[in-house]
Amino acid sequence: MDWLYPFSLMVGLILFFMGVGLPVAFAFFVTNIIALFLFFGGSVGVSQMISNFSAAVGTFALAPLPLFLIMGSLFFRSGLGDGVMHALDLCIGSLRARLSYVVLAAGAVFSALSGSSLANTGMMGSLMVPEMLNRGYKPKMAFGPILGAGSLAVIIPPSSLGVLLGSLAQIDVGALLIAGALPGLLLACMFAGLIFVQTLIDPEAAPQYDMAPVPLLAKIRAVSVNVVPMGVIIFLVVGTIILGIATPTESAALGCLGVVLLLFAYRRFSFRLVWDSLDDAMKVTGMTFLIISASTTFSQVFAFSGASNGFINYLLSMNPGPYLFLFLMVVTVLILGAFMDQVSMMLITLPLFIPIAHTMHFDPVWFGLILLLSYEVGFTTPPFGLLLFVMLGVAPQGTTLKTVAFSALPFIACTLLLIVLIVAFPQIALFLPNLFN
């Protein structure tokens, strides 16, 4: 049990520093420095950590991350999403819970244009929550679909979290992004089925009201003007990867170019918009790269101290079997998701999970997608799910965390059901990567 001391020390320090409010990157840096002096030769180890920084963030697999962030920021800041919502609203018509379905459809489209769950939820929440509540929707039918639709960006490509996971876990980023397309659409359909069941059980949760008939020509025009051009952007980002025309980095650059051309076409281009979008991407990318630099050293010291090998060998000696291993890993992520953000969870768990996955001979893309779905649940897990607080920020004054959290629970259950389906039927995740390999 020699591994238990470094394991307990390093994991305990990380959790302690995060618990007292230290930013994630600095919590890892302080833990690294303490561990380097204890297990890695002190100042020699610190010098090695500094020299590792450029190698940690200089990997080509991380290049799509800032480009996807720029693309999403340009899309949301320009207001292009408003037209998409309007067109979908016209097409869905007077169906009961119409606005819930509009939110869900728009969330799927926006996920393929931004890769950011926080941006999706914030935009749809600010636009749709007041309208839905004014029309008599109960909170569960207003908050729940927006939280569910917002979380789709975790797995529907281009997923910023998927790019980060693929880079850190050394999984083919292109294959991981492609793998999320089919499960993402399946999850959106499951959410639609959930909304339908909720309205059957409680018809008053989303009152039905008549709409003025919209001519078919007007619907076609709205879709042609507002949705079809976004489909071109989705093809530039997702389709080029699937068809093998472009790498994830090249597709991200094509997506940025496509959004800029749309801004010119819709006469919404401005240098101020570009500057603000670059500023958004720079802040997120800078902090992400800082975290990656710290986590790389953490993984190295964790392995050098014998903590990771000792922990893995200890678990293997119990001979629990691959599916029990997988169950325990998912449960661990779900528990951590109640207390920390997705990047923090990823940095703490991957040094432990990836060696175990290799030992169990899990397909890396399949396993990576299961982890992404588990991290997605963490976005809406009370009491600290980030999307819950985004929703509270746009909800009417007096809305409680309990109300928002209970609205999210049925959608969390759908995501957990999808994880079970992917475990039982791996081809849900692997069909597209294998088809276009």
Side-chain angles (χ1 to χ4, degrees):
M1 300 291 283
D2 293 339
W3 60 271
L4 190 57
Y5 165 64
F7 179 93
S8 303
L9 178 71
M10 295 182 69
V11 174
L13 285 174
I14 285 289
L15 297 177
F16 170 76
F17 288 130
M18 288 183 181
V20 298
L22 201 63
V24 176
F26 297 109
F28 272 91
F29 275 124
V30 174
T31 300
N32 288 342
I33 292 172
I34 294 173
L36 286 169
F37 274 93
L38 290 175
F39 311 119
F40 213 95
S43 58
V44 176
V46 174
S47 299
Q48 182 65 40
M49 177 181 72
I50 295 172
S51 66
N52 284 344
F53 286 174
S54 59
V57 299
T59 172
F60 185 71
L62 284 173
L65 181 61
L67 293 172
F68 285 142
L69 291 171
I70 293 170
M71 183 182 72
S73 185
L74 285 171
F75 176 76
F76 284 118
R77 281 187 174 273
S78 65
L80 290 175
D82 298 351
V84 175
M85 299 281 280
H86 172 68
L88 294 173
D89 190 14
L90 292 180
C91 292
I92 290 177
S94 59
L95 184 68
R96 185 180 291 278
R98 174 177 63 90
L99 295 181
S100 296
Y101 292 111
V102 169
V103 161
L104 186 57
V109 174
F110 295 162
S111 295
L113 292 167
S114 73
S116 170
S117 289
L118 296 177
N120 277 9
T121 305
M123 178 187 175
M124 291 190 295
S126 59
L127 285 176
M128 300 301 294
V129 164
E131 177 73 11
M132 295 170 84
L133 295 180
N134 287 339
R135 290 186 179 274
Y137 282 63
K138 289 185 178 179
K140 67 179 180 180
M141 295 303 296
F143 302 142
I146 293 175
L147 289 168
S151 68
L152 290 174
V154 174
I155 56 171
I156 290 181
S159 164
S160 298
L161 200 66
V163 173
L164 184 58
L165 173 63
S167 176
L168 292 175
Q170 298 183 349
I171 299 172
D172 184 339
V173 172
L176 184 59
L177 293 179
I178 293 171
L182 187 58
L185 294 176
L186 177 58
L187 186 58
C189 293
M190 293 169 68
F191 287 163
L194 173 62
I195 293 170
F196 179 74
V197 171
Q198 286 179 316
T199 56
L200 283 181
I201 296 174
D202 184 7
E204 297 303 316
Q208 189 171 11
Y209 52 91
D210 294 329
M211 284 184 60
V214 179
L216 179 61
L217 188 61
K219 293 181 181 180
I220 294 174
R221 184 178 184 279
V223 171
S224 301
V225 172
N226 297 296
V227 179
V228 172
M230 305 306 160
V232 175
I233 304 297
I234 293 172
F235 172 78
L236 290 175
V237 176
V238 182
T240 53
I241 297 176
I242 291 177
L243 297 177
I245 299 172
T247 66
T249 304
E250 293 164 346
S251 72
L254 287 172
C256 288
L257 177 62
V259 173
V260 170
L261 293 177
L262 280 184
L263 293 178
F264 278 111
Y266 286 90
R267 298 181 181 179
R268 298 190 182 187
F269 180 87
S270 71
F271 287 105
R272 181 66 187 177
L273 172 64
V274 173
W275 178 261
D276 289 341
S277 299
L278 291 173
D279 185 58
D280 291 342
M282 180 189 66
K283 290 175 181 176
V284 176
T285 302
M287 180 53 68
T288 302
F289 280 13
L290 189 63
I291 292 171
I292 292 172
S293 300
S295 71
T296 300
T297 303
F298 180 84
S299 300
Q300 292 173 346
V301 180
F302 206 66
F304 183 82
S305 66
S308 67
N309 281 339
F311 177 70
I312 292 167
N313 290 332
Y314 174 74
L315 292 179
L316 291 176
S317 67
M318 299 169 64
N319 196 25
Y323 289 106
L324 183 55
F325 259 130
L326 186 64
F327 173 77
L328 293 175
M329 286 188 277
V330 171
V331 169
T332 300
V333 171
L334 297 182
I335 293 173
L336 291 177
F339 303 101
M340 62 180 63
D341 64 273
Q342 281 59 44
V343 175
S344 302
M345 284 192 291
M346 192 181 295
L347 299 181
I348 290 174
T349 55
L350 286 183
L352 297 173
F353 290 174
I354 297 303
I356 294 175
H358 288 318
T359 304
M360 294 288 105
H361 304 291
F362 291 152
D363 183 282
V365 173
W366 173 80
F367 178 69
L369 190 66
I370 290 175
L371 285 184
L372 273 181
L373 284 166
S374 303
Y375 295 137
E376 177 190 330
V377 173
F379 266 117
T380 47
T381 303
F384 297 114
L386 292 179
L387 295 189
L388 301 180
F389 291 99
V390 172
M391 184 57 63
L392 279 177
V394 300
Q397 191 172 4
T399 303
T400 64
L401 180 63
K402 179 181 177 181
T403 300
V404 176
F406 272 98
S407 302
L409 288 180
F411 294 86
I412 291 176
C414 284
T415 306
L416 294 176
L417 175 59
L418 180 60
I419 293 175
V420 173
L421 290 174
I422 292 175
V423 172
F425 306 101
Q427 284 304 309
I428 295 175
L430 299 178
F431 175 74
L432 287 179
N434 290 340
L435 182 64
F436 295 101
N437 188 0

